[in-house]
Amino acid sequence: MIGFDRPLRPHWIYESLLLAKPGQKLSELTLPFEDIACELTGKEGKRKVRTVLFRCFIRDPNNRYCVRKNLELKKLSEKYDPEFMKPIYLMYLIGNTDTLIKISRHIFRLYDFGDTINQTLLKEKMVDSFGERDIVTRALRSFVQTLEHFGIVERSDNGVLLKQKLTINEEQMQIMFQLFAKEIHHTPQVSLNHLPKSIFNYFQGPDVKEVAQKYNGVYWDYQHRMSDDYLMMF
């Protein structure tokens, strides 16, 4: 299980992507990131956050020292503002991080929106399933703080409230479907009836089949079958 040992804020992701250049050495982003993560104090804390953010969003999976050459999120970040990109970042982060998918499965198995999350119970369930207590504890704490930064959970005297889903529009949904197919699922076919709850349950928006129909012939071929509805990406 790869650790997720530091929380992330949406604007750190946005500003880092704007600075990054495909093929660039990651070391060239070290000093600029000091200014981006202005909420943090201490070089060690900034280094660890930088490591997590770069691994999840920027680093080339085949070369740990360079920015990935195909940086689709950078193109989107240049086109849209941070608020528009926020749910897209969260979907991408969870979808590409097995640890966060596993935590999300437990969250939605145990809780609904409006419930208070018992982090002790959640940690016990995670440890029972996956072991590695220290990694699980750090990842759970960091992910809950990340969800707080994204506005999904809220701290109260009683604990952590699973407050609300992020609202998305048709354009954000079609971008999510494309990213899910190409950079998470790694297949041109997306099943609309079996979208993973661990990734997509954090969002609420228009009817998925209406969006599928609206962009049919533009971004994908929408196929309705007896057993399922599929998008075949162009």
Side-chain angles (χ1 to χ4, degrees):
M1 179 185 286
I2 297 176
F4 181 80
D5 57 0
R6 283 296 187 277
L8 299 180
R9 293 176 181 264
H11 83 86
W12 296 346
I13 302 167
Y14 182 81
E15 293 177 36
S16 296
L17 285 165
L18 290 182
L19 284 176
K21 300 175 183 177
Q24 179 183 21
K25 291 182 180 179
L26 286 176
S27 59
E28 296 176 6
L29 297 173
T30 299
L31 285 179
F33 189 80
E34 296 281 316
D35 294 328
I36 290 172
C38 58
E39 293 88 349
L40 298 174
T41 57
K43 288 190 175 181
E44 184 65 9
K46 290 185 178 182
R47 182 190 67 78
K48 291 184 176 181
V49 168
R50 185 177 71 242
T51 298
V52 171
L53 191 153
F54 285 9
R55 182 179 67 231
C56 295
F57 290 95
I58 293 175
R59 193 177 74 190
D60 189 327
N62 299 313
N63 186 342
R64 61 181 299 179
Y65 300 106
C66 292
V67 174
R68 62 186 67 178
K69 294 178 181 178
N70 180 22
L71 204 57
E72 186 63 30
L73 284 178
K74 176 181 175 67
K75 299 173 188 176
L76 291 167
S77 300
E78 291 173 334
K79 183 177 180 180
Y80 300 102
D81 64 30
E83 194 62 26
F84 181 96
M85 290 301 300
K86 185 164 68 172
I88 297 169
Y89 293 151
L90 185 63
M91 187 279 299
Y92 191 92
L93 172 64
I94 297 170
N96 279 302
T97 311
D98 286 345
T99 307
L100 304 187
I101 289 176
K102 291 171 180 176
I103 294 173
S104 296
R105 285 174 183 160
H106 279 282
I107 288 175
F108 294 127
R109 186 157 47 237
L110 295 169
Y111 304 105
D112 293 318
F113 280 90
D115 292 343
T116 297
I117 297 174
N118 183 326
Q119 291 192 77
T120 301
L121 174 62
L122 188 55
K123 182 183 74 174
E124 290 173 355
K125 294 293 184 181
M126 289 291 297
V127 171
D128 288 344
S129 298
F130 309 111
E132 302 183 71
R133 180 178 297 272
D134 290 341
I135 291 177
V136 168
T137 300
R138 289 197 301 270
L140 177 58
R141 181 175 61 245
S142 296
F143 185 44
V144 169
Q145 289 176 348
T146 298
L147 293 178
E148 185 178 5
H149 295 325
F150 276 81
I152 289 175
V153 305
E154 182 178 82
R155 296 187 183 276
S156 67
D157 294 338
N158 297 323
V160 176
L161 175 68
L162 190 57
K163 182 182 178 183
Q164 62 185 3
K165 298 186 179 188
L166 294 182
T167 300
I168 59 173
N169 61 28
E170 292 177 341
E171 190 171 9
Q172 289 166 311
M173 185 177 284
Q174 66 88 0
I175 290 170
M176 286 181 172
F177 286 161
Q178 290 188 79
L179 287 172
F180 176 71
K182 297 174 183 178
E183 303 206 15
I184 297 173
H185 200 41
H186 300 293
T187 174
Q189 179 174 289
V190 174
S191 166
L192 293 182
N193 296 339
H194 295 90
L195 293 170
K197 189 176 181 181
S198 56
I199 299 174
F200 287 95
N201 203 42
Y202 291 100
F203 314 104
Q204 64 181 5
D207 182 86
V208 294
K209 294 179 183 179
E210 291 181 4
V211 173
Q213 186 61 54
K214 178 174 181 176
Y215 294 100
N216 184 36
V218 181
Y219 297 109
W220 51 63
D221 178 29
Y222 176 31
Q223 300 179 4
H224 175 72
R225 305 175 191 172
M226 291 294 293
S227 59
D228 205 346
D229 291 88
Y230 295 95
L231 303 180
M232 297 298 297
M233 298 296 169
F234 294 151

